[in-house]
Amino acid sequence: MKLKYKFNLFAKINTTNNKIIMKTMILCLFLSLTFALVSEKTGWLEVDWKIVFIPALLVLQIIIIGTALKNRYKKH
């Protein structure tokens, strides 16, 4: 029995737009961790390690909201 429909989950995940979003989040996370490590080693700033991931989450939220607004007001 041959399937009529081919379900490929990675085809939707592996798009150019999603790659850009993932690279942006990884870059933001890397910059937050680097800033936290440098400031912790130099003693310039006391770092609470629970909030290091907040900038990457904020970037993700901004991208999601921006994409949703762009899709909502897209001219047909």
Side-chain angles (χ1 to χ4, degrees), residues 31-45 47 49:
L31 290 174
S32 332
L33 285 173
T34 305
F35 178 75
L37 285 173
V38 168
S39 61
E40 184 77 23
K41 291 290 182 186
T42 59
W44 178 67
L45 185 66
V47 176
W49 289 98

Side-chain angles (χ1 to χ4, degrees), residues 2-49:
K2 194 170 186 178
L3 294 175
K4 288 185 178 181
Y5 301 104
K6 188 176 181 181
F7 180 73
N8 191 355
L9 179 65
F10 295 110
K12 287 192 172 196
I13 293 175
N14 203 10
T15 61
T16 306
N17 197 17
N18 288 346
K19 286 180 185 177
I20 293 171
I21 290 171
M22 290 303 292
K23 286 179 183 177
T24 306
M25 285 182 52
I26 289 171
L27 176 65
C28 187
L29 186 62
F30 174 73
L31 290 174
S32 332
L33 285 173
T34 305
F35 178 75
L37 285 173
V38 168
S39 61
E40 184 77 23
K41 291 290 182 186
T42 59
W44 178 67
L45 185 66
E46 187 73 24
V47 176
D48 186 9
W49 289 98

